[in-house]
Amino acid sequence: MSSSPTLSCHLYYVFLQSATIFYILFHGTLAVYFIPFASAFFVTKQRKSNRVLPFFDMAAAVRMPSANQPKSMTRPTRWSDVVEEAYRFQIAGYRDEIEYREVQKTDHVDRWPHNGYVKKLVRRDGCFYYYNRTRECPDKQINKTKLYEY
Amino acid sequence: MMKTKQQQPCINKVKLPGKVVNPREKVPFTQQVDIYDRNNITKPEPPLAGAFKERNTGGTSFKKFYERGDFPIALEHDTKGNKIAWKVEIEKLDYHHYLPLFFDGLCETCHPYEFFARQGVHDMLEHGGSKILPVIPQLIIPIKNALNTRCHKVLCTTLKVLQHLVVSAEMVGEALVPYYRQILPVFNIFKNKNLNSGDGIDYSQQKRENVGDLIQETLEAFERYGGEDAFINIKYMVPTYESCMLN
């Protein structure tokens, strides 16, 4: 006679524990979705690059960075063929030939046959830029040109 | 010799010594000069012919087509560089249609028409190749109109364009020889327009804006790329020009 209340008590406690575990699991999984939003309220002063991304932009966060990112940039002081090449690409809105090939998905760049300078480039909006046979980079634009190193 | 209205009142008031001058009587030229000197009358100047006077061309077809958006050019708001962006590849353009239109825009002096015409002509000549030669006859009238404006800025631009034209492709210089009589008269007018600054520095010469020097450079380019008959044809229209190849 004393065992039946004990057994029922046991069963009751097991039921409570399982219900508790189920409750925690259920609400815990739901809470995972709210953590990013909640943490955003506690972000005070951060740079754009360190800002926590919202849930809908997680695809962008997991996107792999380009393999050809430059590691350093210098400003030239004298004109040379390399500076001229960089000037022509930067006029068209690209960093250099590597970015141009990545963006336009092509290996071919139109060049003048006699000196190898860039002849024609395609802009990002689809328009065409044409360049002269001879030097185009003026002296005052030399130090505004950027030379990237990988 | 016919007397003008300006001369008649003066002669009416003057009398030859011992002789009354009848204004309707024909007075010899030597006596006319003497009359003005002896009576301290300023001789009336003949009216100006207007050879150097700037002339307005009115609206050009380049401006009309530009306003309508018929040119395959994208507007640029980037201050870096002085290039125009082409919506269509230049190699695919119909040169018979577009090149004369761009040459017509050389008469323009206002921004952005002047910039787009000049840069458009430059790009098309730079990348035209063999497509330029068949279009030469259609370019003569726009070139003549541009030179006839007698505007300093337009003259400088047109002369530089002509220098680029003769070197842009083969046989273009020789193709221009039959049209010298249409484009060289203005060269003859402005050939001696050089600034006499004494021992000062003429900065327009450095910036290639001295009309006299530009004309000399252009004539030398014509002679260099015009073949055998170029010099004699140039000499016919511009007698003071001396050869840069024979000397």
Side-chain angles (χ1 to χ4, degrees):
Chain A
M1 301 292 273
S2 62
S3 61
S4 57
T6 310
L7 180 62
S8 62
C9 289
H10 271 293
L11 286 174
Y12 178 71
Y13 285 126
V14 166
F15 172 74
L16 274 180
Q17 284 177 359
S18 59
T20 308
I21 290 166
F22 176 74
Y23 181 84
I24 290 170
L25 281 174
F26 178 72
H27 287 285
T29 50
L30 281 182
V32 164
Y33 292 97
F34 289 97
I35 284 171
F37 289 106
S39 61
F41 287 103
F42 295 100
V43 172
T44 52
K45 200 172 182 183
Q46 288 185 353
R47 287 183 186 175
K48 269 189 184 176
S49 56
N50 295 336
R51 198 174 289 166
V52 174
L53 295 171
F55 170 70
F56 49 84
D57 204 16
M58 278 178 69
V62 297
R63 186 171 58 208
M64 293 297 290
S66 172
N68 292 326
Q69 289 292 327
K71 292 188 180 163
S72 63
M73 186 272 289
T74 54
R75 302 267 186 182
T77 52
R78 285 188 204 168
W79 182 86
S80 66
D81 289 344
V82 176
V83 174
E84 179 70 24
E85 173 118 340
Y87 173 77
R88 292 186 180 204
F89 278 105
Q90 283 159 28
I91 282 279
Y94 301 99
R95 212 169 39 230
D96 50 18
E97 186 176 356
I98 296 171
E99 190 186 14
Y100 177 77
R101 289 185 180 194
E102 276 179 19
V103 171
Q104 295 297 329
K105 295 183 180 51
T106 177
D107 283 335
H108 175 68
V109 177
D110 281 306
R111 292 178 181 276
W112 288 108
H114 61 284
N115 58 6
Y117 288 165
V118 173
K119 181 179 174 183
K120 181 175 92 173
L121 288 177
V122 183
R123 288 198 327 180
R124 291 172 195 263
D125 58 359
C127 294
F128 299 92
Y129 260 172
Y130 288 88
Y131 298 93
N132 294 339
R133 300 164 198 259
T134 53
R135 171 183 166 177
E136 274 202 21
C137 178
D139 289 337
K140 59 182 179 181
Q141 293 285 340
I142 290 175
N143 59 353
K144 293 179 186 171
T145 308
K146 298 176 187 175
L147 295 178
Y148 293 93
E149 289 170 15
Y150 293 85
Chain B
M1 174 177 146
M2 292 294 291
K3 298 188 190 64
T4 62
K5 283 188 182 175
Q6 287 171 341
Q7 290 177 352
Q8 281 175 1
C10 296
I11 294 175
N12 275 335
K13 294 176 188 174
V14 170
K15 291 182 182 177
L16 275 175
K19 191 177 177 183
V20 174
V21 177
N22 186 352
R24 293 186 184 180
E25 187 183 344
K26 204 170 179 181
V27 178
F29 177 71
T30 49
Q31 286 192 9
Q32 274 188 358
V33 170
D34 203 24
I35 288 168
Y36 289 117
D37 286 341
R38 280 193 281 148
N39 293 281
N40 291 328
I41 298 169
T42 52
K43 191 176 179 183
E45 296 288 335
L48 291 173
F52 296 93
K53 192 178 174 184
E54 289 187 15
R55 297 160 194 196
N56 290 327
T57 55
T60 60
S61 54
F62 176 84
K63 191 174 180 178
K64 193 171 65 179
F65 279 74
Y66 180 85
E67 298 290 338
R68 281 195 338 209
D70 285 347
F71 289 121
I73 299 171
L75 283 174
E76 266 301 296
H77 296 285
D78 188 9
T79 55
K80 196 181 190 181
N82 53 351
K83 307 203 94 36
I84 55 175
W86 292 85
K87 289 181 190 170
V88 176
E89 294 181 58
I90 289 180
E91 296 87 1
K92 295 180 184 171
L93 284 179
D94 180 13
Y95 268 58
H96 284 274
H97 175 66
Y98 285 107
L99 195 57
L101 283 176
F102 276 98
F103 266 80
D104 205 29
L106 293 176
C107 298
E108 298 289 341
T109 51
C110 303
H111 184 77
Y113 311 108
E114 175 263 336
F115 167 70
F116 280 117
R118 178 169 41 85
Q119 198 63 32
V121 164
H122 174 81
D123 284 348
M124 291 187 82
L125 292 180
E126 188 85 357
H127 301 271
S130 59
K131 296 170 87 170
I132 299 171
L133 184 62
V135 192
I136 294 292
Q138 299 174 47
L139 303 179
I140 300 303
I141 291 183
I143 291 171
K144 198 166 76 167
N145 290 339
L147 291 171
N148 279 338
T149 58
R150 293 59 200 326
C151 171
H152 176 263
K153 202 172 173 185
V154 174
L155 274 176
C156 292
T157 307
T158 309
L159 290 167
K160 289 174 194 169
V161 162
L162 284 171
Q163 290 178 29
H164 192 185
L165 181 65
V166 294
V167 300
S168 60
E170 289 185 6
M171 304 296 289
V172 170
E174 295 179 27
L176 273 176
V177 172
Y179 303 103
Y180 282 173
R181 56 188 298 273
Q182 299 192 48
I183 57 179
L184 294 191
V186 177
F187 282 44
N188 200 21
I189 294 171
F190 288 93
K191 189 172 179 295
N192 289 329
K193 192 177 178 191
N194 276 307
L195 179 66
N196 184 2
S197 60
D199 61 347
I201 299 172
D202 181 17
Y203 290 100
S204 66
Q205 204 176 44
Q206 201 178 41
K207 294 186 286 188
R208 296 190 73 215
E209 291 177 1
N210 185 305
V211 176
D213 287 347
L214 275 174
I215 286 175
Q216 182 66 25
E217 284 176 21
T218 310
L219 290 173
E220 287 176 3
F222 280 176
E223 185 188 356
R224 200 165 277 124
Y225 295 95
E228 294 174 355
D229 299 332
F231 175 65
I232 191 66
N233 283 282
I234 293 171
K235 191 76 172 175
Y236 183 76
M237 301 304 300
V238 185
T240 51
Y241 173 72
E242 293 297 333
S243 172
C244 63
M245 295 182 67
L246 297 175
N247 297 332

